[in-house]
Amino acid sequence: MIEVVEGDITQLQVDAVVNAANDRLAGGGGVDGAIHRAAGATELHAACRAIGGCPTGEVRLTPGFRLPARAILHAVGPVWRGGGQGEDELLARCYRNAMALAAAEGFRSLAFPAISCGVYGFPRERAVPIAVREVRAALARPTPVERVIFCCFDGAMAALYRAELGLPVTSPP
Ligand code: AR6
């Protein structure tokens, strides 16, 4: 039910990919930039502009356009400010809200990047247990979602997820 994949999230054949967006849904670097390029920047920018923005911790839906995925769930993770500004709960909400929106849309498979763990500076050792806890909790309830992929851009991140999930760690941390 939960898999760890090392690679580019834009290539995955899933019902929906989650984007690590900003609160203006304005596009940017990192996974957001990769998703915009692969989906078709013009179409995706227009769809995001029509939505307007998205508060931190919340999630908005657009089509996947040219991605293999049907849909994009744009999640706005918190900027890391030392851990005392509610960052853990805001990150948890991203995973919770993405799982809830995927369920409401009837999606069966989705893939997450490590939200907030790039430009936004959230410590990965702290983010991974939050992501795993929230996805497990959502899958424990009735849901059409039957496959969740944690898509990691590097082997060290994949090793962290595998360790947290109790999966064999195949690549060195
Ligand atoms: N596939 C999977 N993971 C990726 C990919 C990819 N193609 N590219 C990067 N990552 P980040 P954030 C990993 O910075 O911290 C943008 O400018 C990356 O290695 O993309 O939430 C937005 O517009 C890292 O582990 O997102 C926002 O302004 C993880 O994805 C801001 O950055 C997240 O890194 C959001 O920052």
Side-chain angles (χ1 to χ4, degrees), residues 11-36:
Q11 303 302 308
L12 297 181
Q13 304 266 354
V14 283
D15 288 335
V17 294
V18 178
N19 183 20
N22 54 64
D23 62 4
R24 290 162 293 120
L25 300 182
V31 70
D32 197 3
I35 286 175
H36 272 78

Side-chain angles (χ1 to χ4, degrees), residues 1 27 56 134 170:
M1 234 178 179
T56 303
E134 293 301 329
T170 48

Side-chain angles (χ1 to χ4, degrees), residues 22-93:
N22 54 64
D23 62 4
R24 290 162 293 120
L25 300 182
V31 70
D32 197 3
I35 286 175
H36 272 78
R37 281 191 298 277
T42 310
E43 295 96 320
L44 186 50
H45 270 301
C48 287
R49 213 170 25 247
I51 295 169
C54 176
T56 303
E58 293 191 20
V59 180
R60 298 289 183 268
L61 177 82
T62 68
F65 298 105
R66 271 177 259 161
L67 292 181
R70 280 159 53 196
I72 304 167
L73 305 180
H74 302 267
V76 181
V79 176
W80 180 255
R81 293 196 169 89
Q85 307 294 314
E87 293 95 327
D88 290 346
E89 173 57 18
L90 288 166
L91 184 66
R93 268 188 225 162

Side-chain angles (χ1 to χ4, degrees), residues 114-136:
I115 300 166
S116 285
C117 290
V119 176
Y120 280 1
F122 205 113
R124 44 173 68 187
E125 295 77 10
R126 187 158 163 160
V128 166
I130 293 170
V132 168
R133 182 191 75 212
E134 293 301 329
V135 167
R136 276 186 169 151

Side-chain angles (χ1 to χ4, degrees), residues 131-150:
V132 168
R133 182 191 75 212
E134 293 301 329
V135 167
R136 276 186 169 151
L139 290 174
R141 292 189 286 271
T143 175
V145 180
E146 53 195 29
R147 181 172 178 230
V148 174
I149 296 172
F150 288 117

